[in-house]
Amino acid sequence: MSNKAVSYAGPGKVEVIDIPFPEFVLRDGPGVHPANVGRKVDHGVILRTIATNICGSDQHMVRGRTTAPEGLVLGHEITGEVVEIGRDVEFVKVGDVVSVPFNISCGRCRNCKTGATGICLSVNPDRPGSAYGYVDMGGWVGGQAEYVLVPYADWNVLKFPDREQAMEKILDLTMLSDIFPTGFHGAVGAGVGVGSTVYVAGAGPVGIAAATSAQLLGAAVVIVGDLNADRLAQARSFGCETVDVSLGDPKDQIEQILGVPEVDCGIDAVGFEARGHGREAQTEQPATVLNSLMDITRAGGSLGIPGLYVTGDPGAVDEAAKVGSLSMRFGLGFAKSHTFVTGQCPVMKYHRGLMQAILQDKVTIAKNVRATPISLAGAPNGYAAFDDGAAQKFVIDPHELIPR
């Protein structure tokens, strides 16, 4: 059976290729850890992909900013229909429409049992934590494909209660696999609550999801900072204040909005490819956002950091940054008694509640991020547009099931 997929073809390039139809065993391939080759997945299901999104984390690999091997099948934001179940699957049925957390977790290890599914100890031989189609994450085949294997299915998938309703809201529901919980995790980590003032650095899809989440949590004011005018306009479209960091330090613009040069809660939705502010806005300075957030977040406040930071960046600006060592003003954070919340979002902690918010019309995440369906063949163009700063979230629709 045909199974076309999007793969990394070297810096700046992706291509659509033919890959084998999934089996209930992990085969060798680009990025697959040798210790995972031959791993039986009788606890898994095979999905016909309904929606699979292009993520900024994918873009880091495509830009050549990680050690991802060429040929790696991309995609970790997966929503699909179950077409085949493994021998050991008990509760998931053929025909179920499900959301798949980007974190692959076993549900059995010490961390999973405490809800820390972003750092599962069992699915990646290299280190805690795993994901589909991502460098150094165990080699599980990515989901930007017509069909994909999902392990530990009884544990991992979130079943939508009604198929017809799910398809009507599929552009919202597909955000449950990653960016909506990730943005929400950033807001929770930053301590957002009723009446909070919040600054979100970055108006890409995760930043927009964090801003949406802050509103859902009761923030009084949500301010979003970025260099991209279109993305800032998108943030304003659903009630956010905005800061253009190309004009200078966000602190001064925040004071113009709030009357004081600080916020209660800071969220980093940029990560390691951060740029400077003002005249240095075109210069990459990977610690800029972290240092800025420590400066503008009140003493005793918290920093939620859903933006990606890596341990290996061959394209970094200096030798230290190539191994994830950044020039942070940690002494400032210490002096202000800041709390830092970092790492992969444990999607399962949030996705069911956020699903209910979507199904009950409490939030319109697809509208806020401008979810835009594209074909599988159109994925290379989607990656190029996203890299150029399009204020959109591209949703790959391999089987043309999403109304245009």
Side-chain angles (χ1 to χ4, degrees), residues 58-350:
D58 297 320
Q59 202 67 269
H60 292 307
M61 290 187 289
V62 172
R63 289 179 185 139
R65 297 299 298 269
T66 70
T67 55
E70 293 187 19
L72 182 74
V73 175
L74 301 167
H76 55 270
E77 299 191 7
I78 306 163
T79 306
E81 177 188 10
V82 178
V83 294
E84 192 173 345
I85 63 173
R87 180 193 66 194
D88 297 337
V89 175
E90 186 174 359
F91 302 111
V92 181
K93 307 300 180 187
V94 170
D96 288 347
V97 177
V98 301
S99 176
V100 182
F102 79 88
N103 331 97
I104 302 172
S105 56
C106 70
R108 307 170 183 182
C109 71
R110 175 181 180 176
N111 285 349
C112 285
K113 287 181 177 180
T114 63
T117 55
I119 43 175
C120 173
L121 301 172
S122 303
V123 288
N124 181 359
D126 271 337
R127 62 187 188 193
S130 188
Y132 303 88
Y134 211 84
V135 59
D136 296 334
M137 288 292 187
W140 299 88
V141 177
Q144 287 174 13
E146 293 177 296
Y147 296 90
V148 64
L149 173 67
V150 175
Y152 299 101
D154 282 328
W155 167 254
N156 274 311
V157 305
L158 173 67
K159 179 183 174 181
F160 300 138
D162 180 86
R163 179 190 178 90
E164 183 177 346
Q165 183 189 33
M167 293 307 297
E168 288 175 358
K169 294 181 175 289
I170 197 66
L171 286 176
D172 291 287
L173 294 171
T174 190
M175 304 306 162
L176 293 173
S177 57
D178 183 354
I179 68 161
F180 198 9
T182 292
F184 197 86
H185 182 58
V188 170
V192 178
V194 174
S196 298
T197 57
V198 184
Y199 178 68
V200 181
V206 170
I208 295 295
T212 301
S213 299
Q215 292 177 335
L216 195 61
L217 288 164
V221 181
V222 180
I223 305 169
V224 179
D226 205 288
L227 301 162
N228 183 311
D230 289 340
R231 289 182 169 182
L232 290 174
Q234 187 61 26
R236 289 193 295 273
S237 74
F238 61 96
C240 297
E241 301 284 348
T242 57
V243 162
D244 183 348
V245 298
S246 70
L247 301 178
D249 193 315
K251 191 172 187 176
D252 298 331
Q253 296 175 68
I254 288 170
E255 185 171 17
Q256 292 174 16
I257 295 167
L258 297 177
V260 291
E262 66 178 16
V263 293
D264 299 322
C265 313
I267 302 172
D268 175 0
V270 177
F272 73 102
E273 288 191 69
R275 298 183 182 276
H277 298 149
R279 285 178 293 180
E280 298 179 334
Q282 299 308 313
T283 303
E284 188 167 307
Q285 299 180 12
T288 297
V289 171
L290 294 170
N291 289 332
S292 175
L293 287 178
M294 285 186 278
D295 188 33
I296 64 180
T297 301
R298 67 173 178 83
S302 296
L303 277 59
I305 309 174
L308 179 67
Y309 289 87
V310 296
T311 56
D313 174 12
V317 293
D318 55 47
E319 292 302 312
K322 287 182 179 180
V323 293
S325 180
L326 309 181
S327 298
M328 283 178 60
R329 293 186 64 196
F330 189 73
L332 176 60
F334 182 91
K336 296 178 77 173
S337 295
H338 283 155
T339 298
F340 296 75
V341 179
T342 69
Q344 283 189 34
C345 164
V347 170
M348 284 189 191
K349 185 174 181 179
Y350 309 108

Side-chain angles (χ1 to χ4, degrees), residues 10-95:
K13 295 183 290 185
V14 299
E15 60 185 15
V16 179
I17 62 173
D18 290 301
I19 64 171
F21 192 82
E23 304 175 77
F24 293 109
V25 64
L26 193 56
R27 303 294 187 190
D28 198 7
V32 179
H33 194 286
N36 264 351
V37 174
R39 185 170 182 159
K40 294 186 182 300
V41 194
D42 293 323
H43 42 69
V45 296
I46 295 171
L47 301 184
R48 177 175 71 152
T49 305
I50 295 174
T52 175
N53 314 328
I54 297 175
C55 181
S57 299
D58 297 320
Q59 202 67 269
H60 292 307
M61 290 187 289
V62 172
R63 289 179 185 139
R65 297 299 298 269
T66 70
T67 55
E70 293 187 19
L72 182 74
V73 175
L74 301 167
H76 55 270
E77 299 191 7
I78 306 163
T79 306
E81 177 188 10
V82 178
V83 294
E84 192 173 345
I85 63 173
R87 180 193 66 194
D88 297 337
V89 175
E90 186 174 359
F91 302 111
V92 181
K93 307 300 180 187
V94 170

